[in-house]
Amino acid sequence: MPTVISNTEVAGNIWLLTVEGEFSGGMGQFYMLRAWKNDPLLSRPLSIFNIKPGMIQFLYKVRGKGTMRLARLKPGDSIGLEGPFGNGFPNLKGKIALVGGGVGIAPFYYAAKQLPAADVYLGFSHEPYLVDEFRRAARRVIPKFGLSLVNDLEIGLYDAIFACGPNAMMRALAQKAEHTGTAVYVSLEKHMACGIGACLVCSVVCKEGNRKACADGPVFLAREVNFDAEYGL
Ligand SMILES: Cc1cc2nc3c(=O)[nH]c(=O)nc-3n(C[C@H](O)[C@H](O)[C@H](O)COP(=O)(O)OP(=O)(O)OC[C@H]3O[C@@H](n4cnc5c(N)ncnc54)[C@H](O)[C@@H]3O)c2cc1C
Ligand code: FES
């Protein structure tokens, strides 16, 4: 079983977990994590924050029982990791912005390392965190607070936006992009059980019918998602 190297609180309730081993994965893909036997029943999905030789990292917010258990992990503890799963962000050319709101910044450190020319927008509601780390990975990092993240973003400057964060933020970006040629890709957070397309727990209401966040996503073209039905926004 993989072993924890470190597990550090980088801001209030936000933790960075580093696990030893050789791992693979693309930007926007995720792993299912498990640091307990039966309670909670299900493993928990987390996006790849970073992969380096000999280690993988996850950035997570403590929300409930599973993430609370993760936050108790100490160096040397064992952890179950399955993955990588899902379809992540596409490999595109052109001018790209990575837009993360809250802990939705998690997939964009690894993405920034692969797209160093992309602009990275980091949205925070309280104290910012890991901004210097992002600055070492990306050419241009723009920290923002609250609603200014979407309001100030000039979508038309970009061929594509990769977004992850609160549903209202992703929907607002999709709406702003309707009047430009910009393609907006969103990474959707859904409850997951199997993680491999077998149980339908993670259904996403799309305009062409239901899709599975774990196997078809978690990254979708925003214009394909029925945000009204999905989130009642
Ligand atoms: C593909 C994918 C990647 C993710 N990547 C990250 C990541 O990198 N960092 C991170 O912090 N979180 C990420 N998440 C969310 C993370 O999986 C959940 O926060 C976690 O499963 C919560 O487990 P818990 O046992 O702590 O909380 P629970 O006890 O399961 O839930 C606590 C509260 O949070 C709500 N909640 C829990 N999970 C979700 C969810 N998926 N969507 C909406 N509401 C939820 C519940 O309704 C409840 O109110 C990701 C989710 C998905 C689907
Ligand atoms: S989590 Fe089972 S189908 Fe997606």
Side-chain angles (χ1 to χ4, degrees):
M1 243 188 174
T3 305
V4 173
I5 296 176
S6 63
N7 190 28
T8 315
E9 191 170 19
V10 294
N13 245 7
I14 306 285
W15 291 69
L16 183 64
L17 171 67
T18 306
V19 179
E20 188 176 22
E22 297 303 328
F23 297 93
S24 62
M27 50 184 175
Q29 284 195 295
F30 65 95
Y31 276 70
M32 298 294 282
L33 285 78
R34 193 171 186 91
W36 51 85
K37 279 204 171 126
N38 308 315
D39 184 25
L41 184 63
L42 302 172
S43 302
R44 297 295 194 251
L46 292 181
S47 307
I48 298 167
F49 175 78
N50 192 18
I51 294 178
K52 288 198 284 193
M55 68 170 68
I56 188 166
Q57 291 182 301
F58 302 95
L59 182 72
Y60 63 96
K61 179 173 183 167
V62 173
R63 281 179 165 147
K65 201 179 253 182
T67 47
M68 256 184 246
R69 294 266 162 102
L70 291 180
R72 281 193 220 143
L73 287 168
K74 301 272 177 284
D77 287 348
S78 298
I79 180 168
L81 283 187
E82 286 187 293
F85 294 127
N87 286 307
F89 292 103
N91 281 313
L92 298 178
K93 299 224 179 321
K95 192 150 173 53
I96 296 174
L98 311 178
V99 182
V103 78
I105 68 174
F108 293 135
Y109 183 78
Y110 193 48
K113 287 196 344 182
Q114 286 157 67
L115 300 168
D119 290 347
V120 183
Y121 293 82
L122 305 176
F124 300 101
S125 50
H126 303 292
E127 52 175 329
Y129 47 86
L130 301 179
V131 175
D132 289 341
E133 284 75 2
F134 274 90
R135 288 207 163 110
R136 283 193 280 276
R139 187 179 56 92
R140 189 157 173 257
V141 176
I142 304 112
K144 291 276 180 186
F145 287 92
L147 290 176
S148 67
L149 179 66
V150 176
N151 292 344
D152 298 350
L153 187 69
E154 286 191 60
I155 290 221
L157 293 179
Y158 299 100
D159 299 300
I161 306 270
F162 296 172
C164 183
N167 299 323
M169 178 198 96
M170 295 195 284
R171 184 190 168 145
L173 286 170
Q175 282 176 334
K176 269 186 99 163
E178 278 170 11
H179 310 292
T180 70
T182 308
V184 177
Y185 292 84
V186 291
S187 179
L188 300 182
E189 263 198 20
K190 300 291 292 187
H191 289 286
M192 287 188 180
C194 70
I196 53 168
C199 71
L200 302 184
V201 160
C202 65
S203 279
V204 176
V205 185
C206 287
K207 289 172 186 159
E208 303 292 324
N210 285 7
R211 314 271 304 273
K212 297 169 192 167
C214 65
D216 301 319
V219 174
F220 294 89
L221 251 179
R223 63 171 173 263
E224 290 176 357
V225 177
N226 185 338
F227 282 98
D228 290 333
E230 185 58 31
Y231 301 113
L233 295 169

